[in-house]
Amino acid sequence: HRNRETKFVNEEEIHGLVEKLDQTHTLYTFSQKYNVVLFQKFMEGNKLARIISIPKRGDIMLIDEFGSNMTLEDAIKVGYKPAYVLSDKPRSHHQKFVKFRFPKSNQLRSNTFHLIDLLLQYVSPRNIKVSEEDGFWYFHVRQSIIQLPMQMQIEWIDCLIPYIIEGKLTRRVNNSVYLDSSSVTKAVTITSNEYHTITKIVNETNSSIEEFIASAIRDKINQHML
C-alpha cells in the first residue's frame, strides 16, 4: 500500500483484543534485586503502605492509607520497613499451581489484604504469579511445601481454603502445609513439525507450550460439550 508493506487489521478484531487484555492483566510480582513482592506490607510506626507496582523498568511504587504514592527509595528514607521477612526458598520445580481468588480492595487493612499477607509471609515469592480480572486478584502459587509456625497452621488453612478455586491445602508433619494442585500431568507425543509450529505460535503470543496445549485441550472439551 503506497509502496510500503502494510498489514490491514479488522477493526472488530482490535476491539476484541483490547477487551481481552482489559479483562485479564498479569502483573509483575517480585523484584529479586530489592527482595520485595507486590502488595507487600510496609510499616512506619502505625502508618501502613503497600507496594502497588513492580515495573520491569523504573521505580517500584508504594501507596499509603491516604492514597499518596511514593517510590520504594523514598519510603525507606522516611522510615518505612517491611512488616515481615519474605521466604528465601528457591522456585519450586513443579509446573502446577494452586489458584486463589480474592476480591480487589482499596482498603489497605481490609480482610483481602490480611489474606494476601498470609500468603506473602510464608510462600516463597518465586512461586507466586498474580493477575487481575473482573474485580478479582488471582494468586497462582506453584505446587510446593511451606513451613508454618505451629500456632499458625490451622488459622492459615482455615482462612485461605474458602478462596481456593483450583487445588487444595493439606496439613503435613513438622508444621508444614502442602499446596497441592488439582492438575494432572500427561505425556503428549507430537511430530517435530508440530513442535516447531507450536513454538512459533507461543513466541508470537508471548505464552508457553504448556499453556498452548492446555488451551487447545479446553477448546476441544468445550466443542465436545456443545
Side-chain angles (χ1 to χ4, degrees):
H1 180 67
R2 296 182 179 178
N3 296 323
R4 293 183 179 180
E5 183 177 341
T6 305
K7 294 182 179 180
F8 292 94
V9 181
N10 189 295
E11 187 174 353
E12 293 180 359
E13 293 178 354
I14 292 293
H15 290 313
L17 177 61
V18 170
E19 184 178 350
K20 182 178 180 181
L21 292 175
D22 284 343
Q23 289 176 350
T24 304
H25 179 47
T26 301
L27 309 173
Y28 292 108
T29 306
F30 176 57
S31 169
Q32 187 169 348
K33 178 179 179 181
Y34 295 100
N35 193 38
V36 295
V37 64
L38 190 66
F39 302 134
Q40 185 177 356
K41 180 166 71 173
F42 279 66
M43 299 295 297
E44 194 274 302
N46 292 324
K47 294 187 292 185
L48 185 152
R50 291 186 182 275
I51 291 182
I52 56 167
S53 174
I54 302 180
K56 271 189 173 181
R57 298 178 182 84
D59 293 324
I60 295 172
M61 300 299 298
L62 290 84
I63 189 170
D64 65 18
E65 294 181 277
F66 302 100
S68 299
N69 292 342
M70 67 191 98
T71 65
L72 177 62
E73 182 180 1
D74 288 341
I76 293 174
K77 283 181 180 178
V78 299
Y80 277 98
K81 296 180 180 179
Y84 39 79
V85 178
L86 300 179
S87 170
D88 60 356
K89 285 191 173 182
R91 176 176 171 175
S92 169
H93 67 277
H94 287 286
Q95 297 300 315
K96 303 176 184 180
F97 292 85
V98 176
K99 190 173 180 180
F100 299 83
R101 182 177 67 182
F102 303 118
K104 293 176 69 172
S105 174
N106 294 322
Q107 302 299 319
L108 302 189
R109 297 181 190 265
S110 67
N111 184 58
T112 289
F113 280 115
H114 170 68
L115 297 168
I116 289 174
D117 285 332
L118 288 178
L119 281 178
L120 300 184
Q121 190 169 358
Y122 298 107
V123 176
S124 170
R126 296 167 180 83
N127 289 329
I128 298 175
K129 295 195 302 182
V130 182
S131 62
E132 58 181 4
E133 181 180 355
D134 297 334
F136 291 94
W137 285 313
Y138 292 85
F139 278 68
H140 307 252
V141 183
R142 288 183 183 276
Q143 185 167 300
S144 53
I145 296 177
I146 63 167
Q147 300 293 326
L148 289 164
M150 183 181 299
Q151 67 274 16
M152 279 295 301
Q153 192 177 38
I154 295 177
E155 178 188 353
W156 201 87
I157 292 175
D158 289 346
C159 287
L160 290 173
I161 277 181
Y163 297 89
I164 292 178
I165 58 175
E166 291 182 17
K168 60 183 178 180
L169 303 179
T170 305
R171 294 180 66 180
R172 302 286 288 268
V173 296
N174 300 325
N175 302 323
S176 63
V177 174
Y178 186 50
L179 289 93
D180 189 5
S181 169
S182 58
S183 302
V184 177
T185 301
K186 291 292 182 182
V188 177
T189 302
I190 58 177
T191 67
S192 58
N193 286 337
E194 290 170 338
Y195 175 77
H196 290 308
T197 300
I198 293 175
T199 301
K200 182 179 179 181
I201 292 172
V202 299
N203 287 337
E204 292 175 352
T205 57
N206 194 28
S207 59
S208 68
I209 291 178
E210 291 80 9
E211 290 171 341
F212 175 86
I213 293 175
S215 176
I217 292 172
R218 292 190 190 101
D219 288 343
K220 200 69 176 179
I221 291 173
N222 291 336
Q223 291 176 17
H224 177 75
M225 297 299 291
L226 292 173

